[in-house]
Amino acid sequence: MAELHFIQGDLTEHSCDAIVNAANSSLLGGGGVDGAIHRRGGPEILQACQEIRRTQLPTGLPTGQAVATTAGRLPARWVIHTVGPVYSTSEDRSELLASAYRESLRVADEIGARTAAFPAISAGIYGWPLDDAARIAVHTVRDAPTQVADVTFVLFGEQAYSAFTAVA
């Protein structure tokens, strides 16, 4: 079981083995955390994502799944890209959100990461209510079988930080 930590800050500045990116299925960059990771990490990340699209995932990364690339210029060895679900009031997509965290940890284990940093997946532009996103994230990571020893939730803003620490 990984030891959990919570900090308010910029995920792209966090030093660890693997930074988790709340990506979109195209893997080709976007807004929010995804855009920040691609901008700060440099073109190496985009090139790696393009190669994955060309060779492994021609239609994109499915929601709830994860894949690793280089971290480029980020203070990490790898970026683990995962696609969280868009929040829906008419369909329970909680399992897909939990899967994004579990699959990220599975990929971290495959690449040998001992430390990992997560954002609040799906809690930005994908509209997931922050308190529920925090509950799912913390419980899923806490319960996931993993060799990752240390997981840090790097949360942007006081509201996200408060929601996550309230669950811890």
Side-chain angles (χ1 to χ4, degrees), residues 28-50:
L28 303 178
V33 169
D34 191 21
I37 285 172
H38 277 270
R39 281 189 302 277
R40 177 104 190 259
E44 299 88 349
I45 297 172
L46 179 59
Q47 289 165 356
C49 287
Q50 289 169 330

Side-chain angles (χ1 to χ4, degrees), residues 7-158:
I7 61 172
Q8 184 178 337
D10 181 344
L11 182 64
T12 67
E13 295 177 357
H14 190 74
S15 180
C16 61
D17 292 336
I19 289 175
V20 177
N21 179 18
N24 62 55
S25 64
S26 79
L27 295 176
L28 303 178
V33 169
D34 191 21
I37 285 172
H38 277 270
R39 281 189 302 277
R40 177 104 190 259
E44 299 88 349
I45 297 172
L46 179 59
Q47 289 165 356
C49 287
Q50 289 169 330
E51 181 65 11
I52 288 170
R53 287 293 306 274
R54 190 181 69 73
T55 60
Q56 299 171 324
L57 299 167
T59 60
L61 183 63
T63 301
Q65 298 299 304
V67 66
T69 67
T70 178
R73 300 174 191 153
L74 295 170
R77 291 183 64 191
W78 301 282
V79 172
I80 298 172
H81 306 268
T82 191
V83 180
V86 173
Y87 182 72
S88 171
T89 56
S90 62
E91 177 186 356
D92 182 4
R93 298 179 178 167
S94 300
E95 181 49 38
L96 284 171
L97 182 55
S99 179
Y101 286 97
R102 276 194 306 273
E103 286 296 303
S104 295
L105 290 170
R106 181 190 60 75
V107 169
D109 287 342
E110 284 180 0
I111 59 179
R114 299 290 291 147
T115 59
F118 282 90
I121 297 169
S122 291
I125 197 163
Y126 284 10
W128 208 283
L130 201 44
D131 292 342
D132 194 44
R135 179 188 58 77
I136 292 168
V138 171
H139 289 271
T140 300
V141 170
R142 185 178 287 142
D143 295 343
T146 183
Q147 297 303 306
V148 176
D150 187 277
V151 170
T152 302
F153 288 96
V154 181
L155 304 154
F156 188 77
E158 178 62 36

